[in-house]
Amino acid sequence: MNSANFKGWVCQDAQVKYTPSGKMYAYFTVAAPREFMNSEGQYLSDFIPCVLWNERKIEKIAQNIVKGTQIIVTGRMQSRTYMDKQENKHYILECIIQTIDFLLRNKDKTIQGETDTFNIFADDRHILDYPEPIEE
């Protein structure tokens, strides 16, 4: 079973992008604090890249994924590779989002939807998989 659940803070506003064939997706990173302290007594965070596939809901949801918003993400982890311009191979592990719960909002921006929970998974199972590779 491949399941990811984490709570964290959005690091930058979601970027709506398009694959080479024109499929829309949103990309952003979440800083998820670890549950334990390091030897210096500090909590560290993991920075998790997240991808949202669902062309019917992306624009509405992406406008609410702004820096400083605390969210809970449920999804699955997926790896991919790409070659950069210098022919170096890069490996990426990303969370493919199924649901997002908005907890705390950035004080400068407000949620524009009717609800604070967006279920990406409902009736869109085929949309969650990458329709094609994302090029960096």
Side-chain angles (χ1 to χ4, degrees):
M1 180 158 92
N2 181 350
S3 179
N5 299 296
F6 53 91
K7 177 173 73 172
W9 299 91
V10 176
C11 296
Q12 83 277 349
D13 294 0
Q15 301 171 26
V16 175
K17 298 182 177 185
Y18 295 87
T19 64
S21 70
K23 302 259 189 223
M24 185 187 325
Y25 66 98
Y27 195 86
F28 61 97
T29 303
V30 174
R34 296 179 185 172
E35 295 179 350
F36 54 89
M37 290 185 236
N38 65 10
S39 59
E40 288 86 39
Q42 299 172 327
Y43 287 100
L44 300 177
S45 292
D46 293 304
F47 294 85
I48 304 168
C50 297
V51 180
L52 172 63
W53 293 97
N54 185 320
E55 293 194 47
R56 292 178 295 180
K57 297 180 183 178
I58 283 178
E59 290 183 2
K60 181 177 181 180
I61 297 170
Q63 70 184 354
N64 296 308
I65 301 172
V66 296
K67 182 177 180 176
T69 302
Q70 188 178 34
I71 60 175
I72 295 176
V73 172
T74 302
R76 64 181 171 81
M77 300 306 290
Q78 182 169 303
S79 62
R80 65 180 174 95
T81 60
Y82 73 93
M83 300 292 281
D84 65 17
K85 293 177 182 178
Q86 291 77 35
E87 298 297 317
N88 298 314
K89 191 173 193 177
H90 295 269
Y91 298 88
I92 298 176
L93 184 62
E94 301 164 317
C95 181
I96 307 303
I97 296 174
Q98 294 169 340
T99 63
I100 302 172
D101 294 309
F102 292 87
L103 301 178
L104 298 174
R105 296 161 186 87
N106 180 317
K107 62 184 174 187
D108 298 330
K109 299 188 180 182
T110 58
I111 299 295
Q112 299 297 319
E114 299 115 18
T115 178
D116 287 343
T117 301
F118 293 94
N119 188 341
I120 312 308
F121 198 63
D123 302 321
D124 293 319
R125 294 175 187 266
H126 63 284
I127 296 175
L128 294 173
D129 292 320
Y130 283 117
E132 60 191 73
I134 298 172
E135 294 183 13
E136 295 297 317

